[in-house]
Amino acid sequence: MRLSDNVGNTPLIPITLGKYTVWGKAEFMNPSGSVKDRMATYIINLAEFHKLIKKGDTLCEATSGNTGIAFAMLAAERGYKMKIIMPSNMSEERKSMMRFYGAELIQVDEGDFDGAIEMRDDLCKAKGWYNCNQFHNSWNIEAHFNNTGPEIIKQWKNTIIPDAFILGTGTGGTLMGCGQRLKKHWNSIKIIAVEPEESAVMSGNQPGLHGIQGIGDGSKFLVDLNFVDEVKTVKTICAKTIAKYMASKYGLFVGISAGANVKASFEWLRDNNKTNAITILCDRGERYL
């Protein structure tokens, strides 16, 4: 059995505040420490199945960090070379983790995800590298429709239907894939997208620099706003504050985007007089120290 065979089957943890409960899918318990293990493993498994890659080939991806870490882990496990392209303002811990796995890191300007994606596409075309293409890959959505969503439904032991699925978006793959599966099972569940207030693209504003790494990458990418019931924004400072609160009050040492998800979830429950929401605790907190 390989390490990546253990991706998934993470617990659904209740976080209670007064009459409100946010159920967090503990994706920080995946092998490389984030929800991106699911998508990366799904993409590599299918690429191998369709004989698009073979041992010794070079993989390439543009990322804000967690996806790069996940692909770097898989490349090390399965004998590929890994090239990562990312904006320079991502955390040093993330960069160090990718290098420890043996990946080569290419940095572009701060916040320049479009530039990172363009460079990835150009290099893959010129050098024959395999383009993992997380931002526009339907396999990203499939990974969560086929795996994450069904896990949540199986773990939901309550007799009541959850009120909402509330989640920040980077590529949008988790929101769309998981959301579609949950909506198919619970027709009344609301789908709420979360983005940084400083880069509220889905809300109609311009991209901007922010500190909630992993979401708000400057475009809607895979998100279908016709599927989304509402978009909420969270300030970077608020997301960081809630992430620290999660560690000190609940023992959940999670990252900044998880802080944004939890804050948006409790706010939505309060504002709509509802009691139960599901979100994703995207990654571990040590990569933001």
Side-chain angles (χ1 to χ4, degrees):
M1 176 179 281
R2 300 174 298 194
L3 179 62
S4 60
D5 293 330
N6 295 282
V7 170
N9 295 309
T10 57
L12 190 65
I13 298 174
I15 306 162
T16 301
L17 190 62
K19 68 177 183 178
Y20 310 115
T21 302
V22 173
W23 298 81
K25 192 86 162 94
E27 291 300 291
F28 56 86
M29 296 179 70
N30 280 309
S32 87
S34 87
V35 66
K36 297 299 185 181
D37 282 9
R38 292 181 183 268
M39 173 266 292
T41 303
Y42 195 87
I43 287 174
I44 294 303
N45 285 348
L46 280 178
E48 290 176 342
F49 177 80
H50 292 293
K51 302 189 184 305
L52 301 176
I53 53 176
K54 63 183 185 303
K55 188 174 181 178
D57 284 352
T58 298
L59 317 178
C60 184
E61 185 57 285
T63 177
S64 62
N66 283 333
T67 294
I69 293 167
F71 277 120
M73 175 194 74
L74 288 160
E77 175 187 76
R78 305 190 188 189
Y80 301 110
K81 302 179 183 71
M82 189 72 223
K83 308 288 185 180
I84 302 292
I85 305 169
M86 68 188 303
S88 61
N89 59 313
M90 299 299 102
S91 72
E92 291 303 318
E93 293 91 339
R94 287 177 165 200
K95 297 173 187 176
S96 295
M97 290 176 72
M98 285 181 265
R99 291 185 177 117
F100 263 81
Y101 281 122
E104 179 185 341
L105 188 59
I106 303 168
Q107 299 185 63
V108 298
D109 292 340
E110 291 187 357
D112 189 12
F113 286 97
D114 288 339
I117 293 168
E118 184 178 357
M119 181 181 289
R120 177 203 64 190
D121 293 344
D122 290 345
L123 286 171
C124 287
K125 185 175 181 180
K127 297 180 177 292
W129 297 344
Y130 180 73
N131 189 342
C132 300
N133 194 26
Q134 63 161 329
F135 293 99
H136 303 97
N137 195 334
S138 62
W139 289 349
N140 185 345
I141 295 175
E142 280 183 27
H144 299 288
F145 185 84
N146 292 334
N147 297 322
T148 321
E151 279 182 25
I152 292 172
I153 292 166
K154 184 178 179 181
Q155 291 169 324
W156 189 259
K157 304 300 183 182
N158 294 352
T159 55
I160 59 171
I161 295 172
D163 298 302
F165 179 55
I166 303 174
L167 181 62
T169 66
T171 64
T174 312
L175 180 78
M176 293 303 299
C178 206
Q180 287 170 5
R181 175 63 80 171
L182 299 184
K183 193 79 171 177
K184 185 176 181 180
H185 187 77
W186 295 303
N187 184 57
S188 64
I189 194 170
K190 299 297 184 183
I191 307 299
I192 314 299
V194 180
E195 62 180 349
E197 185 173 305
E198 302 91 338
S199 187
V201 174
M202 290 184 291
S203 301
N205 299 321
Q206 292 299 310
L209 288 176
H210 64 91
I212 312 178
Q213 298 176 50
I215 71 171
D217 291 341
S219 178
K220 295 183 286 291
F221 296 115
L222 295 170
V223 177
D224 178 3
L225 287 176
N226 292 321
F227 176 70
V228 173
D229 292 291
E230 185 180 337
V231 178
K232 287 188 66 65
T233 63
V234 176
K235 292 180 180 178
T236 295
I237 186 63
C238 295
K240 290 181 177 180
T241 299
I242 297 302
K244 291 178 182 178
Y245 180 82
M246 294 280 287
S248 63
K249 298 300 181 182
Y250 297 96
L252 293 168
F253 189 26
V254 295
I256 301 168
S257 61
N261 291 341
V262 171
K263 183 179 190 298
S265 296
F266 277 119
E267 283 187 349
W268 188 90
L269 290 173
R270 178 200 65 197
D271 294 345
N272 291 274
N273 196 28
K274 301 296 184 180
T275 55
N276 286 276
I278 297 170
T279 193
I280 303 291
L281 305 178
C282 313
D283 62 2
R284 295 196 292 256
E286 75 269 23
R287 60 196 68 188
Y288 304 96
L289 293 174

